[in-house]
Amino acid sequence: MTSPEFTDPHAIAHDAADAIRSRLSLASVDMGLVLGSGWSAGIDRLGTVLGRLPLGELPGFSTPVVAGHGGDLVAVALPTGKTAVVLTGRTHLYEGRGVEPVVHGVRTIAALGASTMILTNGCGGLDPSWGPGTVVAISDHINLTGVTPLRGATFIDMSKAWTPSLLEVVERIAPGIPTGVYAQFRGPQYETPAEVRMARIIGADLVGMSTALEAIAAREAGLDLLGLSLVTNHAAGVTDAPLNHAEVIAAGEEAAPRLASLLADITAAI
Ligand code: 8IG
């Protein structure tokens, strides 16, 4: 499915980038961040906020609707002198608008000239020892959505999609941080226990509803890529507890200060 406004998705990303540059008077952008469930507190900890725009005011973006998901673009001057553009909301495939809106933020950040992308999310964990609040660095992903943001014969190499040197930076800043394979389901329903067992058998450690499609678009754009997942819940069937969205939000709020300082340390180191 393609929404009519996305007949040329890269052109709309450039329109959005032009609007951002002129409205925030940005000279250059080095890095983009997408902040998922639990991650959006503490943006001011990253550096000096240069400006903020509601995503809904920019070409190709619409206002995210899920409780706990924000919806701003925030430009931040990092202590290193670099400029980061942070999105505090994302469009999900389960919203039913097709795949182009899902990756529009990543493409806009690429069009702004960034060379590095940090994707964060809240997700379910398959390892029973990863309690809610565990942060996992994404080492690889499995796209189970059945769709792709790429069109035509766009043969992108995904063999080192998650940049090894960025994983090394994370390991240096947070020694012993677990790494894992992220499997993206379409959602919006959470998995059945059988689907989670399948995910484990095929090599997944994390299950979520974002990030893999964004990663594909980021690699198409040639961005270096880092992914950080907050395990907000055990995936279905890992424990006896049923899943609920309120619990997911609560785990994010509890973890917020830790996530803010981790992100500040990482963005200051790359
Ligand atoms: I937060 O357990 C969050 N997002 N697919 N499964 C999937 N997405 C999620 C989950 C989960 N928790």
Side-chain angles (χ1 to χ4, degrees), residues 38 103 153 157 165 192 214 219:
V103 297
D157 177 20
S165 59
T192 63
E214 294 170 353
R219 295 303 298 145

Side-chain angles (χ1 to χ4, degrees), residues 145-238:
T145 65
V147 297
T148 169
L150 308 183
R151 294 184 186 175
T154 312
F155 302 120
I156 302 298
D157 177 20
M158 298 295 287
S159 58
K160 285 182 181 157
W162 300 89
T163 308
S165 59
L166 292 177
L167 280 164
E168 284 167 20
V169 169
V170 173
E171 166 63 25
R172 187 151 45 75
I173 285 166
I177 188 174
T179 60
V181 174
Y182 177 96
Q184 179 174 357
F185 284 78
R186 182 192 180 278
Q189 73 284 354
Y190 292 124
E191 295 71 30
T192 63
E195 287 165 342
V196 170
R197 288 194 299 274
M198 175 196 76
R200 179 180 288 117
I201 288 166
I202 65 176
D205 303 296
L206 304 164
V207 286
M209 303 178 199
S210 64
T211 305
L213 294 173
E214 294 170 353
I216 295 167
R219 295 303 298 145
E220 178 192 29
L223 299 174
D224 287 342
L225 186 59
L226 173 64
L228 297 168
S229 287
L230 170 68
V231 176
T232 58
N233 56 276
H234 291 294
V238 173

Side-chain angles (χ1 to χ4, degrees), residues 80-126:
T80 52
K82 292 185 174 177
T83 301
V85 164
V86 185
L87 307 183
T88 65
R90 53 159 55 101
T91 297
H92 291 87
L93 191 62
Y94 59 68
E95 292 171 46
R97 301 175 56 224
V99 70
E100 276 82 17
V102 169
V103 297
H104 182 55
V106 169
R107 285 180 169 155
T108 297
I109 282 165
L112 281 166
S115 57
T116 303
M117 189 75 215
I118 302 178
L119 301 175
T120 67
N121 61 54
C123 67
L126 272 61

Side-chain angles (χ1 to χ4, degrees), residues 17-26:
D18 289 343
I20 294 159
R21 260 192 297 263
S22 72
R23 288 185 61 184
L24 296 182
S25 307
L26 290 181

